[in-house]
Amino acid sequence: MTGPGREMARFVRSYPERCTGCRVCELACSMAHDGVFNPEKARITIHTRSLERMERALVCVHCDKPRCMDACPVDAISKDPTSGLVSVDGEACTGCGECVEACPFDAMKLHPETGKAINCDLCGGDPLCVSYCRPGALEFGGTGHG
């Protein structure tokens, strides 16, 4: 729901039919957030469906009613009431993984080194995964789900 003065979070939309599985989006994300090319540290994940020979990006869609936030036992996940951005407080997060289990989009994950929950933060409004996706399988737009 939107109202006067309320802006909904935009999110990274995926077009699986365009994805080549190159995983450059994962590398751009991990470099932007951790300064290394390591897909395990990316806030976007390319999921391969081998039977259909299709790749699909899994990334936070900043749900209207985030199940990850509801599942967090320490209230480390919040949703900005103005922008709609769902974010994790790394200091408060205990790494229990309840948010990972609760996310219907498989977009929340635990950082391989810190063990804390991570999700897409939209790179401050200019997602690098979208900028580096040459096949055009990612687009910045739309509003949250759920």
Side-chain angles (χ1 to χ4, degrees), residues 74-131:
V74 295
D75 297 323
I77 301 172
S78 62
K79 181 172 180 73
D80 184 282
T82 303
S83 70
L85 188 73
V86 174
S87 59
V88 178
D89 177 348
E91 295 297 317
C93 178
T94 62
C96 71
E98 292 296 321
C99 58
V100 175
E101 293 297 319
C103 178
F105 300 103
D106 293 326
M108 190 68 73
K109 62 195 260 187
L110 299 179
H111 192 281
E113 289 178 4
T114 67
K116 307 287 181 140
I118 56 174
N119 71 313
C120 176
D121 63 2
L122 301 175
C123 293
D126 187 19
L128 289 179
C129 58
V130 174
S131 299

Side-chain angles (χ1 to χ4, degrees), residues 32-98:
H33 291 90
D34 287 282
V36 296
F37 291 122
N38 183 342
E40 294 296 315
K41 295 180 179 182
R43 277 87 174 142
I44 184 171
T45 303
I46 299 302
H47 173 74
T48 303
R49 295 185 205 166
S50 55
L51 291 178
E52 291 117 359
R53 294 184 183 161
M54 181 182 287
E55 277 77 25
R56 178 174 68 110
L58 304 176
V59 63
C60 185
V61 296
H62 305 280
C63 299
D64 290 334
K65 296 175 184 165
R67 293 182 192 172
C68 59
M69 185 174 80
D70 292 341
C72 182
V74 295
D75 297 323
I77 301 172
S78 62
K79 181 172 180 73
D80 184 282
T82 303
S83 70
L85 188 73
V86 174
S87 59
V88 178
D89 177 348
E91 295 297 317
C93 178
T94 62
C96 71
E98 292 296 321

Side-chain angles (χ1 to χ4, degrees), residues 15 17-22 24 129-130 132-138:
Y15 295 92
E17 67 278 6
R18 299 179 195 164
C19 183
T20 63
C22 70
V24 169
C129 58
V130 174
Y132 282 92
C133 182
R134 295 297 171 240
L138 301 174

